[in-house]
Amino acid sequence: MSEIKCINLSYVVSSDNAGDVENVFKKHASWMNEFYAEENEGKEHLISCYFTKAQEFIDPTDPTKGFTGNIIFTINEKFTSMKSVERHVENASKNEYFGKFVEILGAYGKAISLGGDIYHSIRWSASIWAIRYSITPHCHRTTYLIDFSYEEFF
């Protein structure tokens, strides 16, 4: 089994409060850009990360019914190991915005997964197969496999 672990957080926020929530998430994103920069050996810990924002449908199976007035946010982070997840939480918690981040999680968090396993992946697993095929014969260190993401390889 892979050592890769994920943080996946999902929030439902009223449109009235969405701007404030998004500002806190942008602070976290900015911190991550710096903390996981290549010069900080970020690729040894963080494989990928993306944040999403969308209006919540009244009925997702029938978008013609319109929206609820809420905004759905997700934060999706993929790490090389559980130790990297723990390192992330420890360092993120030192930021001035982190108290507000935790408050938002308590008020609006709907799905909270810390250290989750990937049980299915389409494009990412295909790129790992290609990287494994091309690198493993020349190097016995499988840690190189996690240094590449799908977007970087293809």
Side-chain angles (χ1 to χ4, degrees), residues 35-100:
F35 188 71
Y36 291 105
E38 285 189 43
E39 59 270 14
N40 292 335
E41 301 176 344
K43 286 187 172 186
E44 291 182 21
H45 298 281
L46 182 70
I47 297 169
S48 67
C49 170
Y50 65 95
F51 294 29
T52 68
K53 175 177 92 169
Q55 291 189 59
E56 181 184 41
F57 286 108
I58 292 170
D59 180 353
T61 65
D62 184 0
T64 63
K65 292 182 180 177
F67 303 103
T68 66
N70 293 326
I71 303 296
I72 298 172
F73 291 94
T74 70
I75 297 176
N76 307 276
E77 304 165 345
K78 188 186 316 180
F79 295 90
T80 58
S81 68
M82 191 61 196
K83 277 190 172 249
S84 292
V85 169
E86 293 165 356
R87 175 183 175 271
H88 174 80
V89 173
E90 177 184 340
N91 285 282
S93 68
K94 296 174 185 175
N95 290 300
E96 54 83 21
Y97 67 82
F98 196 73
K100 187 70 175 165

Side-chain angles (χ1 to χ4, degrees), residues 2 27-28 34 39 54 82-83 88 109 120 122:
S2 172
K27 288 179 183 181
H28 187 60
E34 183 178 325
E39 59 270 14
M82 191 61 196
K83 277 190 172 249
H88 174 80
H120 178 74
I122 295 175

Side-chain angles (χ1 to χ4, degrees), residues 135-144:
I135 292 177
T136 302
H138 305 290
C139 179
H140 297 294
R141 287 190 50 192
T142 56
T143 53
Y144 285 135

